[in-house]
């Protein structure tokens, strides 16, 4: 759900979070408090990375938690769009549904290759610059990974 909906739930006493978070946000004494996975509690106004915090607010992946703070499989997972956003922030992501162990994708940068004459060529593309998604799997690294329809529609993406 959008933050505006989650915010209304928070104003009515509910805890809210993004699908991939272990912590949550809630309203305490008129302030938005961030309960982090490490147990730290931070006033939203004291966020050390305001750009990251604002990008979280702009997400459409908010969920409202029940009174017992139950975490379901769906709450621990995210959609493909959120997974791409996490890639762009430097995170490694994977699908719970992938069969191989220790498989994930990450954003590769500074990509180059050697041509037939041995010269190192830096890959540059007008639209994406020098970046590509790398699939790290049991057989090594595959550059330029492409998502399948199943991957794009899946709701089981996680940060690894």
């Amino acid at each position: 759900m959008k933050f505006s909906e989650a915010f209304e739930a928070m104003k009515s006493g509910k805890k809210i979070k993004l699908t991939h978070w272990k912590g949550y946000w809630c309203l305490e004494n008129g302030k938005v408090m961030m309960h982090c996975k490490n147990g730290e509690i931070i006033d939203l106004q004291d966020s050390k990375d305001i750009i990251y915090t604002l990008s979280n607010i702009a997400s459409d992946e908010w969920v409202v938690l029940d009174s017992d703070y139950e975490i379901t499989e769906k709450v621990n997972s995210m959609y493909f769009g959120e997974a791409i956003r996490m890639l762009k922030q430097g995170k490694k992501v994977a699908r719970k549904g992938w069969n191989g162990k220790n498989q994930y994708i990450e954003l590769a940068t500074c990509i180059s290759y050697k041509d037939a004459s041995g010269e190192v060529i830096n890959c540059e593309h007008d639209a994406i610059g020098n970046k590509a998604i790398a699939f790290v799997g049991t057989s090594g690294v595959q550059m330029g990974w492409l998502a399948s329809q199943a991957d794009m529609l899946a709701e089981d993406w996680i940060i690894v």
Side-chain angles (χ1 to χ4, degrees):
M1 78 177 57
K2 293 183 178 182
F3 181 74
S4 58
E5 298 168 88
F7 184 60
E8 289 303 316
M10 188 171 55
K11 289 193 309 190
S12 70
K14 299 284 187 180
K15 298 171 183 170
I16 64 170
K17 70 188 290 282
L18 287 178
T19 54
H20 62 278
W21 285 358
K22 302 249 187 268
Y24 62 90
W25 289 5
C26 65
L27 213 52
E28 295 174 8
N29 300 319
K31 294 184 175 193
V32 176
M33 302 305 289
M34 302 183 296
H35 290 252
C36 305
K37 66 181 178 183
N38 65 2
E40 187 178 9
I41 302 171
I42 304 169
D43 184 329
L44 179 76
Q45 295 176 348
D46 296 332
S47 173
K48 292 178 177 75
D49 188 348
I50 195 66
I51 298 300
Y52 177 71
T53 302
L54 289 173
S55 70
N56 286 329
I57 291 171
S59 173
D60 292 341
E61 304 295 325
W62 288 93
V63 292
V64 177
L65 302 173
D66 66 19
S67 59
D68 296 326
Y69 189 45
E70 288 291 320
I71 298 177
T72 64
E73 285 298 308
K74 185 161 176 51
V75 171
N76 283 332
S77 301
M78 60 187 141
Y79 297 101
F80 183 62
E82 184 71 11
I84 293 298
R85 191 167 75 84
M86 293 296 108
L87 279 179
K88 290 179 177 180
Q89 292 178 8
K91 307 278 194 272
K92 298 174 183 177
V93 298
R95 288 207 37 223
K96 288 181 184 178
W98 283 346
N99 353 2
K101 292 187 176 193
N102 302 319
Q103 295 183 142
Y104 59 89
I105 59 174
E106 65 184 337
L107 189 61
T109 60
C110 303
I111 303 165
S112 61
Y113 67 94
K114 284 186 182 178
D115 67 9
S117 66
E119 182 180 352
V120 175
I121 308 295
N122 289 319
C123 301
E124 286 292 334
H125 188 276
D126 289 341
I128 62 171
N130 191 310
K131 298 176 187 173
I133 296 176
F135 176 84
V136 180
T138 54
S139 300
V141 178
Q142 171 192 338
M143 290 304 298
W145 175 83
L146 296 174
S148 68
Q149 290 284 316
D151 291 328
M152 289 186 276
L153 296 171
E155 299 177 10
D156 66 344
W157 286 92
I158 56 171
I159 296 174
V160 297

